């Protein structure tokens, strides 16, 4: 166990803090099989003292604590409400200095005093220590594996201290935002909060799930609120970036619609490729793709083919606004199946989708974090009309089979096509890392994080991407009709919102969307592979028609790999930082053209330097400054 809270915190909070920090830091781990705690009376103030006699007692207690930490392999220990004066602090600091360092506040008021006791060998990882009003302390670690910030608090919620409580929460919010801005993603907040939910529930919103996860451990289940995405109140940011809480039905529905309509901040619009000359060539029709491969794509389907398609649909799927489920479609009699089949054929003939089929319902599913009346903490599920999904699933099977059989898409995209899985990209990465180790080669591998990939798809650019691989125009018209002029409604606690126009994107729940994303993303993968900026694998050439006595020992096969993609998860590979930055510059240009949002600061970097006598090894906890297009990001790399 790594950290134990040594004040009035409960045992359940102790276990949570220890487990969380042990996972984050990667310091020493416990050899004990059972957690141990120093129990305190509820009204006892640990290390409190009023005279010289008690000073000796305090010194004895700190020695006992040090022995306890050593015995139980505890590296960091937090203290709160210690009420120790400055003279005693000097004594304590001298007592622990051989094995520990004491970080402390200097407030002397009753109920104050935040301390961190850190083993001496880990002092090198401490970047800073701050405190505020003697009630909260902040310590910042850069460890071998992670950057982590720990905030410890003692908050008294008596009526006369309510103004101070709000100031303390504001300071915690400031510290956490400061950590996030400096790319510290691992933050632990611990301590005694004594929080009353009915008074401070919405104050928790400003601090987020970090404080909630701590406080909820100290709150009885009967008092703990239940959070749901279908709430009767939501927060919304105004033009001044201030949180406004809405509780009225009309306002909740209005702001909910605004949130989901503007979730990407972009709209479908024509893009003039002449403004992006570096991409004009890539969007030209591919010379190695023949129009004839699509001869069966829009061929009219027979009634038997339609019925077989309906039978293959999954069960237990939610229906769209009409309430028609897959089960209903499967149980239609032959006359009704014939009628629906004829209707589908008309859609294919007109290259159009009925307007009623383009109406959908959004159900906001809570993410695995507290909701706090914030719609960004939800994942929207779009409920589509099942007859339309049945029709599109048939087209999807036809198109994916054609693209697979004719190797139309870039080979380093391993999603959406029949027979593909995550096995291939994982094996490729493992092989490349192994090659770099065995041949002492430099390797830079960056994993990027795209945000709301499907929601950002520009339909006009999607049309150009389909034309690029010579998909027939009538099929392109069907897809354009499917995603243009759509309307959504959102389920709330007050019922459905009014319909709103969908401004951009493709539906994640649409069966053809993964394949369309791969088509949309393919120009970038092709462009980067053509630049030959990636990592190169070499192997001896196998001569099948080798003549007797011919020496081919110096012949090698070379393969350069710059990318490895599975849907919107992409890894960029390069033999140097310079090449990786060139790849990222190309990618950034593509993202701007296509309105794709990339969370650059969430990128993960793996680096292996070529080992040499004069080449310093990268220290894992030291950040690397990396140019990502027009931005610079700071990443703590890991070693393979």
């Amino acid at each position: 166990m790594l950290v134990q809270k040594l004040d009035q915190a409960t045992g359940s909070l102790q276990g949570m803090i220890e487990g969380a920090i042990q996972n984050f830091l990667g310091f020493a781990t416990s050899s004990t099989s059972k957690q141990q705690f120093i129990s305190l009376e509820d009204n006892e103030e640990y290390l409190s003292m009023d005279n010289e006699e008690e000073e000796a007692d305090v010194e004895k207690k700190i020695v006992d604590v040090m022995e306890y930490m050593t015995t139980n392999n505890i590296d960091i220990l937090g203290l709160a409400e210690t009420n120790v004066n400055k003279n005693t602090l000097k004594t304590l600091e001298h007592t622990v200095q051989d094995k520990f360092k004491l970080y402390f506040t200097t407030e002397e008021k009753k109920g104050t005093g935040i301390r961190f006791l850190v083993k001496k060998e880990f002092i090198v990882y401490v970047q800073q220590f701050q405190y505020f009003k003697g009630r909260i302390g902040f310590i910042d670690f850069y460890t071998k594996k992670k950057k982590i910030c720990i905030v410890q608090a003692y908050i008294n919620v008596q009526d006369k201290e309510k103004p101070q409580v709000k100031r303390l929460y504001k300071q915690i919010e400031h510290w956490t935002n400061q950590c996030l801005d400096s790319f510290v993603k691992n933050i632990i907040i611990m301590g005694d909060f004594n929080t009353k939910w009915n008074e401070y529930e919405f104050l928790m919103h400003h601090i987020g799930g970090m404080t909630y996860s701590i406080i909820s451990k100290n709150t009885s289940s009967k008092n703990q609120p239940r959070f749901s995405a279908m709430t009767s109140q939501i927060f919304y940011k105004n033009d001044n970036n201030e949180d406004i809480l809405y509780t009225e039905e009309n306002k909740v529905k209005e702001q909910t619609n605004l949130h989901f309509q503007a979730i990407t901040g972009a709209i479908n619009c024509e893009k003039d490729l002449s403004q992006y000359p570096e991409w004009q060539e890539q969007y030209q029709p591919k010379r190695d793709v023949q129009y004839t491969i699509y001869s069966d794509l829009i061929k009219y389907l027979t009634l038997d083919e339609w019925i077989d398609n309906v039978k293959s649909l999954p069960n237990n799927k939610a229906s769209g606004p009409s309430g028609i489920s897959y089960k209903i479609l499967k149980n239609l009699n032959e006359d009704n199946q014939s009628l629906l089949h004829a209707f589908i054929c008309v859609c294919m003939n007109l290259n159009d989708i009925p307007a009623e089929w383009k109406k959908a319902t959004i159900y906001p599913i809570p993410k695995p974090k507290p909701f706090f009346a914030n719609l960004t903490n939800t994942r929207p599920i779009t409920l589509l009309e099942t007859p339309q999904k049945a029709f599109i699933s048939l087209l999807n099977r036809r198109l994916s089979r054609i693209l697979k059989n004719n190797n139309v898409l870039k080979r380093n995209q391993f999603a959406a096509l029949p027979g593909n899985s995550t096995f291939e990209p994982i094996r490729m990465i493992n092989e490349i890392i192994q090659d770099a180790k065995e041949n002492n080669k430099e390797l830079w591998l960056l994993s990027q994080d795209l945000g709301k990939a499907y929601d950002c798809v520009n339909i006009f650019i999607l049309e150009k991407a389909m034309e690029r691989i010579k998909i027939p125009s009538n099929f392109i018209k069907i897809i354009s009709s499917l995603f243009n002029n759509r309307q959504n409604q959102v389920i709330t606690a007050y019922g459905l919102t009014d319909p709103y126009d969908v401004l951009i994107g493709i539906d994640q729940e649409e069966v053809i969307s993964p394949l369309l994303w791969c088509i949309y993303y393919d120009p970038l993968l092709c462009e980067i592979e053509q630049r030959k900026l990636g990592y190169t694998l070499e192997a001896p050439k196998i001569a099948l028609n080798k003549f007797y006595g011919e020496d081919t020992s110096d012949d090698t096969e070379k393969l350069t790999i710059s990318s490895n993609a599975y849907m919107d998860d992409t890894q960029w590979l390069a033999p140097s930082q310079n090449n990786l930055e060139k790849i990222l510059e190309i990618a950034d240009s593509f993202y701007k053209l296509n309105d794709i949002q990339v969370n650059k600061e969430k990128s993960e970097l793996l680096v292996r330097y070529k080992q040499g006598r004069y080449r310093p090894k990268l220290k894992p906890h030291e950040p690397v400054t990396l140019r990502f297009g027009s931005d610079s990001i700071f990443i703590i790399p890991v070693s393979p």
Side-chain angles (χ1 to χ4, degrees), residues 309-356:
N309 177 63
V310 171
K311 288 180 179 179
S312 69
L313 298 173
N315 295 317
N316 302 320
K317 293 291 184 179
S319 58
S322 69
I324 299 174
S325 65
Y326 282 142
K327 186 175 181 180
I328 292 176
L329 293 183
K330 291 182 178 183
N331 286 281
L332 291 177
N333 59 31
E334 187 173 345
D335 289 341
N336 286 322
Q337 289 287 13
S338 298
L339 183 62
L340 185 55
H341 165 255
F343 190 81
I344 295 297
C345 290
V346 171
C347 292
M348 297 180 70
N349 185 55
L350 297 176
N351 306 321
D352 200 4
I353 300 293
E356 289 299 312

Side-chain angles (χ1 to χ4, degrees), residues 547-576:
F547 292 105
Y548 179 76
E550 183 181 359
D551 184 11
T552 60
S553 59
D554 294 332
D555 293 342
T556 59
E557 292 279 1
K558 295 184 179 181
L559 175 64
T560 299
I561 301 174
S562 304
S563 61
N564 185 41
Y566 191 89
M567 293 304 300
D568 55 337
D569 292 325
T570 309
Q571 289 78 43
W572 304 117
L573 303 106
S576 65

Side-chain angles (χ1 to χ4, degrees), residues 13 16-17 20 24 138 148-151 169 172-180 184-191 193 197 204-217 368-370 372 377:
L13 178 60
M16 180 193 64
I17 294 171
F24 284 140
F138 166 87
I148 180 171
C149 296
I150 304 174
V151 176
Y169 275 117
I172 294 175
E173 180 186 9
H174 169 72
W175 280 340
T176 54
N177 288 335
Q178 190 179 63
C179 291
L180 293 172
V184 178
K185 302 304 180 186
N186 300 317
I187 306 169
I188 291 180
I189 304 175
M190 62 184 184
F193 289 85
W197 279 107
M204 296 301 96
H205 163 75
H206 298 289
I207 304 173
M210 294 168 289
T211 303
Y212 168 82
S213 65
I214 302 295
I215 295 175
S216 61
K217 295 289 184 176
K369 61 169 67 174
F372 292 128
N377 293 330

Side-chain angles (χ1 to χ4, degrees), residues 226-400:
R226 294 181 178 272
F227 293 99
S228 169
M230 291 180 58
T231 183
S232 58
Q233 52 202 13
I234 63 168
F235 279 101
Y236 192 80
K237 289 190 180 295
N238 61 15
D239 294 337
N240 296 324
N241 204 35
E242 298 171 335
D243 284 327
I244 306 297
L245 178 65
Y246 292 102
T247 58
E248 297 177 2
E249 177 179 347
N250 291 339
K251 281 293 185 181
V252 168
K253 289 183 175 181
E254 177 186 347
Q255 297 302 325
T256 298
N257 275 356
L258 284 175
H259 170 82
F260 287 110
Q261 187 179 46
I263 196 167
T264 64
I267 61 173
N268 282 323
C269 60
E270 285 275 12
K271 293 292 184 76
D272 184 3
L273 285 180
S274 64
Q275 302 296 319
Y276 302 87
E278 66 273 24
W279 292 105
Q280 282 184 301
E281 178 63 27
Q282 196 57 249
Y283 278 93
Q284 294 300 312
K286 296 182 68 174
R287 289 186 289 271
D288 59 340
V289 177
Q290 304 300 318
Y291 288 104
T292 54
I293 65 175
Y294 299 105
S295 58
D296 293 335
L297 182 58
I298 303 296
K299 184 177 66 175
Y300 287 111
L301 66 160
T302 65
L303 177 59
D304 289 340
E305 186 180 2
W306 170 252
I307 293 176
D308 289 341
N309 177 63
V310 171
K311 288 180 179 179
S312 69
L313 298 173
N315 295 317
N316 302 320
K317 293 291 184 179
S319 58
S322 69
I324 299 174
S325 65
Y326 282 142
K327 186 175 181 180
I328 292 176
L329 293 183
K330 291 182 178 183
N331 286 281
L332 291 177
N333 59 31
E334 187 173 345
D335 289 341
N336 286 322
Q337 289 287 13
S338 298
L339 183 62
L340 185 55
H341 165 255
F343 190 81
I344 295 297
C345 290
V346 171
C347 292
M348 297 180 70
N349 185 55
L350 297 176
N351 306 321
D352 200 4
I353 300 293
E356 289 299 312
W357 284 5
K358 293 191 283 186
K359 295 179 179 179
T361 304
I362 289 180
Y363 182 75
I365 301 294
K367 292 180 180 179
K369 61 169 67 174
F371 174 50
F372 292 128
N374 190 339
L375 289 172
T376 59
N377 293 330
T378 66
R379 185 170 70 89
I381 301 297
T382 306
L383 307 179
L384 304 171
E385 289 293 1
T386 53
Q388 174 255 97
K389 291 173 68 177
F391 171 39
I392 298 301
S393 68
L394 185 143
L395 297 181
N396 177 66
R397 278 200 298 274
R398 288 183 175 182
L399 180 60
S400 61

Side-chain angles (χ1 to χ4, degrees), residues 318-500:
S319 58
S322 69
I324 299 174
S325 65
Y326 282 142
K327 186 175 181 180
I328 292 176
L329 293 183
K330 291 182 178 183
N331 286 281
L332 291 177
N333 59 31
E334 187 173 345
D335 289 341
N336 286 322
Q337 289 287 13
S338 298
L339 183 62
L340 185 55
H341 165 255
F343 190 81
I344 295 297
C345 290
V346 171
C347 292
M348 297 180 70
N349 185 55
L350 297 176
N351 306 321
D352 200 4
I353 300 293
E356 289 299 312
W357 284 5
K358 293 191 283 186
K359 295 179 179 179
T361 304
I362 289 180
Y363 182 75
I365 301 294
K367 292 180 180 179
K369 61 169 67 174
F371 174 50
F372 292 128
N374 190 339
L375 289 172
T376 59
N377 293 330
T378 66
R379 185 170 70 89
I381 301 297
T382 306
L383 307 179
L384 304 171
E385 289 293 1
T386 53
Q388 174 255 97
K389 291 173 68 177
F391 171 39
I392 298 301
S393 68
L394 185 143
L395 297 181
N396 177 66
R397 278 200 298 274
R398 288 183 175 182
L399 180 60
S400 61
R401 184 171 58 249
I402 292 170
L403 298 182
K404 176 74 172 182
N405 293 341
N406 294 276
N407 297 317
V408 175
L409 296 180
K410 190 64 191 170
R411 62 187 175 188
N412 288 348
Q413 172 61 268
F414 295 97
L417 295 178
N420 285 358
S421 70
T422 57
F423 172 77
E424 291 86 358
I426 292 174
R427 185 179 68 172
M428 177 186 290
I429 293 297
N430 285 336
E431 292 290 342
I432 290 173
I433 292 175
Q434 189 64 27
D435 180 80
K437 289 181 177 180
E438 291 180 356
N439 296 289
N440 191 23
K441 296 163 68 176
E442 188 166 335
L443 170 64
W444 289 68
L445 187 155
L446 182 129
S447 296
Q448 68 178 24
D449 180 77
L450 297 183
K452 304 177 180 65
Y454 290 176
D455 294 326
C456 295
V457 171
N458 185 305
I459 304 304
F460 294 102
I461 298 294
L462 177 60
E463 291 174 357
K464 295 181 185 298
M466 289 189 285
E467 292 169 355
R468 170 179 172 269
I469 57 175
K470 299 180 180 177
I471 291 177
S473 60
N474 48 358
F475 183 92
I476 294 176
K477 289 178 181 178
I478 292 175
I479 297 302
S480 298
S481 174
L482 178 65
F483 294 116
N484 278 318
N485 303 314
R486 292 176 293 151
Q487 287 191 325
N488 286 348
Q489 292 177 281
V490 185
I491 300 173
T492 72
Y494 294 116
L496 289 172
T497 65
D498 293 332
Y500 69 86

Side-chain angles (χ1 to χ4, degrees), residues 502-516:
V502 180
L503 303 180
I504 194 172
I506 57 179
D507 293 313
Q508 185 167 345
E509 289 68 34
E510 189 61 73
V511 66
I512 201 172
S513 289
L515 184 56
L516 294 178

Side-chain angles (χ1 to χ4, degrees), residues 92-109:
L92 294 179
E93 195 173 17
H94 177 75
T95 303
V96 304
Q97 66 181 359
D98 290 339
K99 295 183 178 180
F100 297 88
K101 182 174 177 60
L102 185 65
Y103 296 87
F104 54 86
T105 66
T106 56
E107 297 281 346
E108 296 185 37
K109 293 173 60 179

